[in-house]
Amino acid sequence: MSGPPQPPRRPAANAGGTGTRLAWLDVLRGLAALAVVFDHASYSVLHHVRTIVYQWFDPGNYGVFVFFIISGYIVPASLERKGSVRTFWVSRLFRLYPLYLLAVGIAVALYLAHFGSIRGEDSDPETSVLSQLLMMSNVLEGKNLPNVVWSLSYEMVFYLLLTALFIARVHKRSSWYALGFAAAAVAVGGMLPQAFFTNNVATPRLIALVADLAVMAGLAFAVVLRGTSRLAGAIIAAVVAITLLAFNGGWIWPWQALSILALMFTGTMFYRAEQGQFPWRRAVAIGVTVLGLAIAAGLWHSRAWGMSAHAELLWSRRWVTAFALAGLTFAAGLAFRHVRWPRVLTWIGLVSYSLYLLHPLVIEVYHHYRWTRHPHPFGLQVLLAAGLLAAMIAVSSLTYLSVERPMQSVGRRVGRWLDARFGPDRIPDVVPVREPAMAGRSHPATD
């Protein structure tokens, strides 16, 4: 499942790169991003290390699991703190899309310059545009360009579902949603079809067009209208998203997708515990239960793949350790959230969205040169890996400073202008929560 990832940052929280309010999330994001980078880069360098590690552990799975838990932890905090669906989606648009469009543009440019592949997307560009338009390519049978954007599909599903729950004022039942999705992964996740609509109902282009129009119309109703019409629009968008996740997923299976939603709502539950809205003891018990159910779903449903006994043993080890270590990593972050961390560690987390989206493109450029494909001594592989990582961090730092941060500022200005022009957009009877002590960004792509 490797691929395959932030409320506006407060200057005081990032002072010196070690602000304790945000630093622990930055460190976790950086660690998760580096795990995904290792997963992809180790096909080219550090082959022996990869062989040893993958006997027991899948860093790619681990990295995205950590990202998803953090997304669930902080995205609802962003929406509830703002108290405004409109402001939330404006921030989402300016947070995610500029870098996403840049990554897709760079991938196309590298393809035209014969430095990389666009995974066959040039064969039907209209369908490709429709499947990528809402960052939901992995539930619209797209090819995920770059390959890591598959995870953004499930982030978007979560945002749409969260919006509907928030407008309906039932968003605080996070523990029930976590347990529900985890139980569904075990009970029905193996029976749900993969890419059902694409394979049996209509062409991928028609499905993507209908889904895009339905989601955009529903979201427009949720953002622009009031009362029952707003709720109806949010429900339409959420139902379309959940239906695509359950019946039209791409290269991950429905039980994996349901486990991802369970992880996100588990993160939300821990946010509520930190806010004093939910008992910590119960939160820990439910969190362990959700992880156990997700692990059980994988161990059970993966048997349908017909793997050999040895392959099944290896896969099972990696599935269990990735989930267990992701949970332990998040727990450790919570436990040490008041520790001050070095700037170098928090910076990697700060640029993690760029690092996550752009590192596959750096690897494609590296692969363009034939000498990189030859066997190399281990010492040289270490040097090449260090050089690749340095290049990735440099590129990510540049795009963060020149694209991400400026566009987030533009998004905040647009949100303020909309409030001044059309008035505040707070949901009635929903009291904004205090700013959480951990407010930061999440999966490389959270607010």
Side-chain angles (χ1 to χ4, degrees), residues 319-445:
W319 182 254
V320 172
T321 55
F323 258 108
L325 290 177
L328 289 173
T329 298
F330 187 77
L334 273 173
F336 294 99
R337 61 187 180 276
H338 301 301
V339 171
R340 298 182 66 84
W341 298 94
R343 179 189 293 270
V344 64
L345 296 179
T346 58
W347 180 257
I348 295 175
L350 194 63
V351 303
S352 59
Y353 184 39
S354 284
L355 182 59
Y356 184 78
L357 284 190
L358 300 180
H359 80 269
L361 305 178
V362 176
I363 293 173
E364 285 203 344
V365 173
Y366 174 83
H367 267 301
H368 177 73
Y369 300 99
R370 291 190 175 183
W371 66 270
T372 63
R373 306 171 203 168
H374 299 158
H376 299 299
F378 180 72
L380 181 56
Q381 288 189 47
V382 172
L383 292 176
L384 290 172
L388 266 176
L389 181 59
M392 292 171 184
I393 293 176
V395 169
S396 301
S397 299
L398 176 63
T399 54
Y400 171 75
L401 293 172
S402 62
V403 178
E404 287 190 70
R405 192 163 69 178
M407 293 309 296
Q408 290 178 56
S409 297
V410 172
R412 289 192 286 274
R413 290 198 295 271
V414 170
R416 289 193 294 268
W417 179 83
L418 289 172
D419 282 347
R421 178 68 176 80
F422 300 104
D425 177 46
R426 294 198 179 276
I427 300 296
D429 301 327
V430 175
V431 179
V433 299
R434 66 179 173 85
E435 180 175 355
M438 70 290 174
R441 299 175 311 148
S442 92
H443 170 56

Side-chain angles (χ1 to χ4, degrees), residues 13-41:
N14 198 35
T18 57
T20 56
R21 289 195 305 144
L22 305 180
W24 73 278
L25 283 180
D26 283 329
V27 171
L28 293 191
R29 285 191 298 272
L31 179 62
L34 291 176
V36 176
V37 168
F38 173 81
D39 177 51
H40 294 143

